[in-house]
Amino acid sequence: MSISGSELVIRALADEGIRLAFGIPGTHNIELYDALAASERVRPVLITDEQSAGFMADGAWRASGEMACLNLVPGAGLTHALSGIAEAFLDGVPMLVLGCGIRQDGGRAYQLHDVDQLAIARPITKAAVRSPSGPEIYRTIREACALARAGTPGPVMVEIPVDQYLFRHPAPPAFLPEPAAPPEPDSALVRQAAELLGDAGARPLLYLGLGAREGGPALVRLAEALGAPVATTISGKGVFPERHPLFLWNGYGRTAPPFARELAERATVTLAIGCRFSEVGTGSYSTEPRGPLVHVDVAPEAIGQNYPARIGIVADASLAIAALLGALGERRHPEWRAEVERAIATGRAGLDAERARREDSGRVAPERLFAEIAERFGPRTVYATDSGNGTFLAMEALRLEGPGRFLAPVDYSCMGYAVPAAIGAKLACPELPVVAAPGDGAFLMTGLELLTAASQSAPIATFVLRDHELAQIAQFQRTAFGRTVASRLPDYDVGSLAEAVGVEWVRLERDADLAEVVRYAWEVTAAGRPIVVDTAIDYEQPTYFTRGVVRANLERLPLKDRLRMVGRALGRRLRA
């Protein structure tokens, strides 16, 4: 019995549970697309630009936990997709990058699209391999998917030469890759950590990243046992229920509000789980561990990389959480917990009161926008944000109750993420409401993917946050230089773009219209149609994150350079 290479690919994808394949067909992979047409389990999704393929696969996994696939033609298909692949690589998102390769059987040089794809992909993937032969296609893909999911997840590329698609091959024997067993925590290190965290005088702080997303109820029990305030990274937003009285903030250093910083400073020991203390997550390394650090991560290289760990535990987060709970036993910190809960409740109430006092600027206040969206669309809503202010505004305004609800480009911080990531999330989780919040600069990069949303029946609500500039960069420029340069956007008509791709749109200009416009957006998406909301956002008030990053970087400069930069900015403001 023989089988085509394309059919082998489809069989491998289906057996891996991959339901979505994002890409654009080309001359080299039309055999694959012909096989996809016959598949009942794998859905090909035609996109407008391969950059979006990676963002869609990224959003699909973050929202659903299911891995997706990129179908790329050789050369330009891969190079267009690099940004989305790199985002997944730095943010720890698994995906299969299925790259078609040029023919290997003809001995000809200077073929169409002929570049060394594996060399291009290796720096931004966990591995980049070529299928050695047609009969090895199935095994190669299954092994690649297992690697993508193992340890710290990430993209893996498999290149399949076009001749392997074209010809038939002997049916391969059944193959099921041996899943890598998640690393279990060292029991001696767990006991040491429990002694440190459970000491009668200890005041623990719990810091969580995306790697703790499977922690679930056990994670809540651990926080309650420690009586610890719980902060998360940006990627980790939602891994701990954010209406729990112990939830502190997304971050706890310079990028957090005063009440969160002050409470964190009272901690005497830090337990970090599933995080790497990356630059963006820590607000330019301004979030430092309090007291000795107990660092748990599945990747050995992450432990102690940026901050020394008193105890480093290489382990799957869920296994480590369970082990720590067992080792802590009945040790509790009731006084610390009571102090933490009082401080958080008081601090949150103060923030709410401060926001309520904010005067109407004639534009849309970000916190009011996200509050209205959360109220109307409900607690199961998935939010996709974009590089810059949109991510930090949504992060600070939203209170999420579970993982997979906040999709943001963090460590690679690639503009153009929100719209395609939202589409990927909606296709993977059609039962969930999905909201995209790109800035007007990011919308220019991938907003045409709304055509994909319309054609694929992916009813997302896209709130384009319009202030006519690259907001976060412009804020940085005003602070550092007293002026802006090349960050003012040329004006464009959001409504005309929406109409051109067959998507409804509405304008939102002021707070007074919030309830009516958000309700209409919800009704349109509930009826199965995507919608764009042209939102006149008020960015006048910088986020805590932006202010914290500016302060942290300024204070890190030598004194003479700090004075020079401050003097330059002040002088330009006075002359303006």
Side-chain angles (χ1 to χ4, degrees):
M1 177 184 175
S2 65
I3 186 171
S4 74
S6 298
E7 291 169 327
L8 283 172
V9 172
I10 303 306
R11 180 184 294 183
L13 297 181
D15 289 350
E16 282 293 332
I18 292 177
R19 297 184 293 122
L20 296 168
F22 302 100
I24 301 174
T27 57
H28 290 75
N29 64 0
I30 55 174
E31 287 280 345
L32 174 61
Y33 273 88
D34 188 65
L36 279 167
S39 175
E40 296 180 353
R41 297 168 65 184
V42 186
R43 174 182 178 180
V45 179
L46 175 63
I47 58 176
T48 68
D49 188 301
E50 285 95 345
Q51 175 182 206
S52 298
F55 297 147
M56 288 185 190
D58 181 308
W61 179 80
R62 293 200 210 205
S64 70
E66 292 185 7
M67 197 162 74
C69 171
L70 280 60
N71 278 345
L72 304 177
V73 296
L78 174 65
T79 55
H80 284 179
L82 290 178
S83 290
I85 298 168
E87 188 70 60
F89 181 65
L90 287 191
D91 279 3
V93 173
M95 65 178 60
L96 175 65
V97 181
L98 194 57
C100 192
I102 63 168
R103 294 190 69 149
Q104 303 289 309
D105 61 334
R108 302 288 189 178
Y110 311 119
Q111 293 186 49
L112 174 66
H113 299 320
D114 185 5
V115 294
D116 189 344
Q117 297 190 112
L118 300 183
I120 292 170
R122 281 190 185 106
I124 55 169
T125 57
K126 293 181 72 174
V129 300
R130 178 181 293 124
S131 170
S133 66
E136 292 294 314
I137 289 174
Y138 181 85
R139 182 187 188 98
T140 303
I141 290 176
R142 296 298 303 271
E143 289 177 340
C145 291
L147 176 60
R149 295 186 179 100
T152 300
V156 175
M157 178 175 177
V158 175
E159 180 186 272
I160 300 179
V162 63
D163 44 287
Q164 293 186 21
Y165 281 136
L166 287 170
F167 303 129
R168 299 186 72 81
H169 313 285
F175 173 74
L176 180 64
E178 182 91 19
E184 298 189 12
D186 182 286
S187 57
L189 293 175
V190 169
R191 285 194 299 272
Q192 292 175 32
E195 289 293 331
L196 183 62
L197 294 162
D199 182 80
R203 297 194 296 275
L205 168 71
L206 189 52
Y207 186 51
L208 306 174
L210 184 63
R213 64 177 281 158
E214 302 298 331
L219 194 51
V220 174
R221 291 197 300 273
L222 178 62
E224 291 174 345
L226 296 173
V230 180
T232 77
T233 64
I234 302 171
S235 294
K237 185 174 176 66
V239 301
F240 188 87
E242 295 184 346
R243 294 197 179 277
H244 191 284
L246 287 173
F247 175 69
L248 182 64
W249 199 255
N250 303 119
Y252 60 85
R254 299 296 296 271
T255 57
F259 85 89
R261 295 199 306 270
E262 292 165 7
L263 179 57
E265 286 170 2
R266 299 179 213 166
T268 60
V269 57
T270 300
L271 171 59
I273 302 176
C275 63
R276 298 175 296 188
F277 291 96
S278 66
E279 179 177 6
V280 180
T282 59
S284 197
Y285 309 113
S286 66
T287 301
E288 299 189 6
R290 302 298 306 168
L293 170 64
V294 178
H295 194 175
V296 178
D297 200 89
V298 73
E301 66 273 13
I303 294 176
Q305 180 68 249
N306 283 330
Y307 299 106
R310 172 78 64 86
I311 301 170
I313 301 175
V314 178
D316 172 81
S318 297
L319 296 177
I321 292 165
L324 283 168
L325 275 170
L328 283 167
E330 295 304 313
R331 283 176 281 199
R332 296 291 185 269
H333 299 295
E335 293 181 0
W336 175 230
R337 178 176 177 178
E339 179 183 345
V340 166
E341 291 184 353
R342 282 195 303 270
I344 291 174
T346 301
R348 288 280 180 186
L351 277 187
D352 292 343
E354 180 182 329
R355 288 169 174 169
R357 289 193 299 269
R358 179 172 173 173
E359 294 183 3
D360 190 338
S361 67
R363 294 172 69 82
V364 179
E367 65 274 10
R368 292 171 185 163
L369 170 67
F370 286 111
E372 189 67 36
I373 293 172
E375 177 68 24
R376 175 61 63 178
F377 281 75
R380 300 177 71 218
T381 302
V382 175
Y383 298 88
T385 64
D386 226 296
S387 176
N389 255 11
T391 287
F392 309 129
L393 287 167
M395 175 187 76
E396 294 182 1
L398 292 168
R399 303 279 291 279
L400 304 181
E401 293 302 293
R405 299 289 185 265
F406 190 73
L407 322 180
V410 179
D411 285 337
Y412 199 62
S413 198
C414 196
M415 288 179 67
Y417 174 90
V419 171
I423 294 169
K426 187 65 180 180
L427 292 175
C429 305
E431 74 283 3
L432 299 180
V434 178
V435 170
D440 43 4
F443 185 71
L444 285 172
M445 295 185 173
T446 54
L448 284 180
E449 291 298 348
L450 288 171
L451 180 64
T452 307
S455 65
Q456 296 289 330
S457 300
I460 64 172
T462 300
F463 289 79
V464 181
L465 309 179
R466 295 204 76 193
D467 69 331
H468 303 278
E469 64 182 9
L470 303 174
Q472 191 187 37
I473 299 304
Q475 288 178 359
F476 285 159
Q477 288 176 332
R478 290 189 190 99
T479 300
F481 308 120
R483 64 183 181 190
T484 61
V485 182
S487 54
R488 183 74 182 173
L489 292 172
D491 197 18
Y492 65 93
D493 189 339
V494 170
S496 295
L497 288 175
E499 289 174 3
V501 295
V503 173
E504 295 176 54
W505 74 283
V506 65
R507 183 172 283 118
L508 175 57
E509 294 184 333
R510 55 188 182 273
D511 287 345
D513 299 330
L514 266 169
E516 179 183 355
V517 172
V518 172
R519 177 186 57 77
Y520 180 70
W522 175 80
E523 289 173 351
V524 169
T525 56
R529 305 188 305 276
I531 187 171
V532 174
V533 182
D534 184 357
T535 308
I537 200 73
D538 177 12
Y539 279 153
E540 188 63 30
Q541 184 71 27
T543 62
Y544 290 106
F545 186 92
T546 298
R547 283 180 279 179
V549 167
V550 169
R551 285 197 303 267
N553 280 297
L554 184 62
E555 292 173 5
R556 197 171 288 135
L557 293 172
L559 180 59
K560 64 176 183 178
D561 294 301
R562 198 183 319 165
L563 293 174
R564 175 179 56 82
M565 294 185 72
V566 170
R568 178 180 60 188
L570 289 175
R572 286 175 176 171
R573 288 195 187 96
L574 291 172
R575 289 192 296 271

